Amino acid sequence: MRRPLLVGATLALAMSAVCVGTAAAQQPDKAGFGFAVIGDIPYGAEQIAHFPSVVDQINADPAVQIVNHLGDIKDGSSVCGDDYFAAVRAQFDRFADPFIYTPGDNEWTDCHRPNNGGFDPLERLDAVRETFFPKPGKTLGGQSVAVHSQADRGFPENVSYDRAGVSFAVLHVVGSNNDLAPWTGQTAPTPEQAAEVQQRTAATLDLINEAFDHARGQRAVALLMQADMFDPTVANPSLAAYSGFQEIIRTIAERSADFDGPVYLFNGDSHVYNSDNPLAPGSPWLSLYGVTTPAPNLTRITVDGSNGVNNYLRVTVQPGDPQVLTWTKVPFDTTPTPH
């Protein structure tokens, strides 16, 4: 049974550079509940240098009570090193509000690339879990709170919680065809690679179903992940390049179509903001994935990312509004924050 997200438990900040306190995180949901979504950041030296200011700005936003990072904490051509992971974790700890992160492909799946250090991706996945999920069932951030975790199945990064009438599920689904893209020197997934994908996908499917089961009587479902399973920038997509997502899409479509309310899917990966209805009647993604029942109530939102990202997404749960979630892009403040 899922444990609701409980606001009140706190952890000491890992760094003393925080410019604002946790008052925003402690505000009651009098006018709805708000959360921030970022992804594919920081990419490169300039963004790494500016990321503390991003943290400060989101901390100072009184409309944000939880922060979500959709993965890719580095660009795809830099080394997947422990020191870098530790530096990013230190910044994550500076978020005043509860902070929820799901891994992206750049920090483990693609680390087999020579310019990433030529790592074993599964070893890097272990490192990601050790660095960013040291206390399963608890969020990161200055105000750590309880969430339901699949740590007992080996997936501490897969979490779910309830807030303001919305059932949230944060799912470890990554680009590079959900890690079915062959690693360097291979022409097909290795047995170890395929086994990891199978186990992680099974856990993901269970969490999706649990989120919808738990959403009976609630207003909406929100799913958050790294992978863009409906990348509009890809011309003539083939199932071979998207096969790692097929079971996940079919399950989301089936459960969304059966849900009496809106469903929202937040993802990063493709780097350019987009909002659409990829499983609505007539969508080409239906035939690609073999979906027989459309789900017009599913709205997908891709956040800006990569080298051009200049904003975070502020999402608000609207009391009494049948749309339930509304969102806006908040430009980054380019003025350095004094400490």
Side-chain angles (χ1 to χ4, degrees), residues 295-321:
N297 59 329
L298 174 73
T299 300
R300 184 277 295 271
I301 306 98
T302 301
V303 298
D304 282 323
S306 186
N307 296 325
V309 63
N310 58 5
N311 65 82
Y312 65 93
L313 200 69
R314 181 201 290 146
V315 187
T316 303
V317 182
Q318 299 288 355
D321 188 331

Side-chain angles (χ1 to χ4, degrees), residues 41 101 147 151 167 252:
I41 187 174
Y101 155 70
V147 289
S167 178
I252 291 174

Side-chain angles (χ1 to χ4, degrees), residues 22-72:
T22 60
Q26 297 169 343
Q27 289 182 348
D29 300 340
K30 292 181 179 179
F33 163 68
F35 58 96
V37 187
I38 55 177
D40 300 275
I41 187 174
Y43 271 41
E46 183 176 348
Q47 286 191 9
I48 291 169
H50 187 252
F51 194 63
S53 295
V54 172
V55 176
D56 293 337
Q57 181 179 351
I58 295 175
N59 281 346
D61 189 340
V64 171
Q65 284 84 48
I66 291 176
V67 182
N68 299 270
H69 192 299
L70 301 183
D72 276 10

Side-chain angles (χ1 to χ4, degrees), residues 1-34:
M1 174 63 71
R2 167 176 322 177
R3 291 177 293 172
L5 190 150
L6 304 173
V7 174
T10 60
L11 289 178
L13 291 174
M15 296 178 64
S16 60
V18 179
C19 296
V20 297
T22 60
Q26 297 169 343
Q27 289 182 348
D29 300 340
K30 292 181 179 179
F33 163 68

